[in-house]
Amino acid sequence: ITTASESIPEGLTILGSGTADAATFDAALTLDNDDITLEGLRFNVGSGNAGVTITGNNANIKDSVFVGPDSGGPAGTGIDIDSGSATITGSTFNGLESGAVVDTAAAQTVSLTGNTITNNATGVEVEGFPADAATSLSIAENNFSGNATNAINLTGTFADQAADFKIESNRIDLADSSTGIASSAAIPAAYDPTLGRRIIDNAYSLPTGENESATRFALTGKYGEANLIVVDDATTDLPNSRSGAN
């Protein structure tokens, strides 16, 4: 499918066979209605584009494949969760600038579970967390491998609140000079009971080639002791200390 100009109706399921060449989309899809399911599809994502953009509620994407261009390096975004809620399971993201971009919206739930996220520039980009205690984000039980810059990167603004944000039980095989979980954003100490305490509940594998190195995680706060700070510099033992309130 090379063009997709019509809005997808609420409650629709688009089901493919899940094979490499079946139900292939070369056009971007926008899920702006609720309760839409995509299953067993393949998305060929071009530079500067997103395979699927989600603005509706209760989107469900499973067992689908998102791949970047064959040449020119990683490009495009597999799934852009621009607002709304979504569950992403059993899918593959390969050769993209970002496998998935998550801009969490107030009082919405996003879950990425059991996906394979490989050979992208960044596996998952999280663009902040809103000031709403009902918001939930879980990134769990995924396999990350060969992502050149970061497996998971946290950007934007994170509201200073107790937040239901978990990154746990992922397998993260690090590329040379990459970081597993990184932040360019200030992460308040209020996230320590969920995000902070689960950062080490992931399996990190460092590169083994001669002169290769990587960082398992590097999260920093904005105001020192008032914010969660977790830093790992690829030493043998995972650190277990934090500053800030628990």
Side-chain angles (χ1 to χ4, degrees):
I1 297 174
T2 57
T3 59
S5 59
E6 298 297 325
S7 179
I8 299 175
E10 181 174 342
L12 184 70
T13 295
I14 302 177
L15 179 64
S17 68
T19 59
D21 297 318
T24 297
F25 284 79
D26 293 316
L29 288 184
T30 296
L31 309 187
D32 52 3
N33 287 313
D34 297 342
D35 303 310
I36 296 171
T37 296
L38 307 179
E39 181 177 357
L41 307 178
R42 177 186 173 94
F43 293 85
N44 296 325
V45 183
S47 178
N49 296 326
V52 174
T53 299
I54 297 172
T55 60
N57 296 315
N58 302 321
N60 188 2
I61 300 177
K62 53 186 176 179
D63 302 330
S64 293
V65 176
F66 298 81
V67 294
D70 291 333
S71 61
T77 297
I79 298 175
D80 182 4
I81 304 173
D82 193 40
S83 61
S85 57
T87 300
I88 316 297
T89 58
S91 294
T92 298
F93 302 82
N94 184 271
L96 300 155
E97 181 66 26
S98 297
V101 174
V102 182
D103 186 2
T104 49
Q108 300 291 353
T109 296
V110 174
S111 173
L112 290 90
T113 304
N115 302 289
T116 300
I117 304 169
T118 61
N119 301 320
N120 308 287
T122 296
V124 176
E125 188 103 16
V126 179
E127 296 184 333
F129 208 94
D132 190 308
T135 307
S136 175
L137 172 59
S138 175
I139 303 172
E141 300 178 11
N142 303 286
N143 289 318
F144 293 86
S145 177
N147 297 289
T149 305
N150 306 300
I152 300 169
N153 189 40
L154 312 181
T155 67
T157 300
F158 285 74
D160 193 354
Q161 64 177 9
D164 187 8
F165 180 12
K166 303 181 184 70
I167 301 174
E168 60 185 347
S169 303
N170 298 286
R171 170 76 185 187
I172 302 176
D173 293 333
L174 291 160
D176 183 31
S177 302
S178 71
T179 299
I181 303 172
S183 74
S184 57
I187 310 298
Y191 291 73
D192 202 41
T194 55
L195 176 63
R197 294 189 181 279
R198 287 176 170 82
I199 290 293
I200 59 174
D201 294 336
N202 297 280
Y204 301 87
S205 177
L206 297 172
T208 58
E210 185 176 358
N211 299 320
E212 291 186 334
S213 64
T215 301
R216 282 174 280 228
F217 46 83
L219 278 71
T220 51
K222 186 176 181 181
Y223 300 116
E225 292 183 358
N227 286 263
L228 173 148
I229 298 179
V230 183
V231 176
D232 180 86
D233 60 359
T235 54
T236 301
D237 296 323
L238 288 173
N240 56 16
S241 62
R242 297 174 178 80
S243 67
N246 292 327

